[in-house]
Amino acid sequence: NNKNNKDKKNKNDKNKDKDKNKQDKKNQDKNKNDKNKDQQDKKKQDQNKDKQKQDQKKDQKKQKQQKPQNKISKQDAEQLLQALQNDEKKIQAKVKKEKAAKAKRTRVEKEW
C-alpha cells in the first residue's frame, strides 16, 4: 500500500513537472513572439521615419527647383517693361490718329 502511494506520488510529481515544463515552454514562446513583435514594430517605425525624412528631402528639392523658375533676372524684367511701354505708346498713337480722323469727318458746314 505504501508502495502504491509512492508510485502515485511519483506520477503526480512527474505530471506536475510535465505541466511546469509545458508552461515554461509556452512562456518562452510567448516571450519570443513578444520580442519578435517588438522588433517588427521598431523596424516599421524606423522605416516610417526614413520615409518621412526622404519625403521631406524631396519636398525641399522641389521647393528649391521651383524658386529659380519663378524668378526672372532684373535685365529680363526691364526688357519686358520696355517692350510693354513701347506697345502702349504705339496703341496710344493709333487711338489718337483714329480720334483725329473721326473729328475731321464730322465737321459740318454751316449754312447761314
Side-chain angles (χ1 to χ4, degrees):
N1 212 3
N2 220 4
K3 190 176 182 183
N4 279 342
N5 282 344
K6 282 185 181 182
D7 286 340
K8 284 182 185 179
K9 188 177 182 185
N10 281 343
K11 277 187 182 181
N12 282 340
D13 286 345
K14 284 183 184 179
N15 284 340
K16 284 181 184 177
D17 285 344
K18 282 183 186 178
D19 288 344
K20 188 176 181 185
N21 285 342
K22 283 182 185 179
Q23 189 65 34
D24 286 345
K25 188 168 181 169
K26 282 183 185 178
N27 286 341
Q28 285 176 348
D29 289 343
K30 186 179 179 186
N31 286 340
K32 280 183 185 178
N33 287 338
D34 288 346
K35 283 182 183 179
N36 285 340
K37 191 173 183 181
D38 288 344
Q39 287 175 347
Q40 288 174 350
D41 288 344
K42 189 173 182 180
K43 280 183 184 179
K44 284 182 183 179
Q45 287 176 348
D46 289 344
Q47 287 173 348
N48 285 342
K49 285 181 184 178
D50 289 342
K51 188 175 181 181
Q52 286 176 347
K53 285 181 183 178
Q54 288 174 352
D55 289 345
Q56 284 177 348
K57 285 181 182 178
K58 285 181 183 177
D59 288 343
Q60 287 175 350
K61 282 183 182 178
K62 284 182 183 178
Q63 287 176 355
K64 285 181 181 178
Q65 288 175 352
Q66 286 176 354
K67 285 181 182 178
Q69 291 173 356
N70 292 337
K71 285 189 174 181
I72 58 172
S73 70
K74 187 174 179 179
Q75 262 186 337
D76 289 341
E78 287 175 357
Q79 286 177 352
L80 282 172
L81 183 61
Q82 201 170 23
L84 288 172
Q85 287 173 341
N86 288 338
D87 287 345
E88 184 66 23
K89 284 179 185 177
K90 287 179 184 177
I91 292 171
Q92 290 297 330
K94 184 179 176 183
V95 169
K96 198 173 188 181
K97 283 181 184 178
E98 287 177 3
K99 282 185 179 179
K102 282 184 183 178
K104 286 182 182 178
R105 286 186 211 150
T106 56
R107 287 190 180 176
V108 176
E109 285 187 35
K110 296 181 182 175
E111 294 180 20
W112 300 79

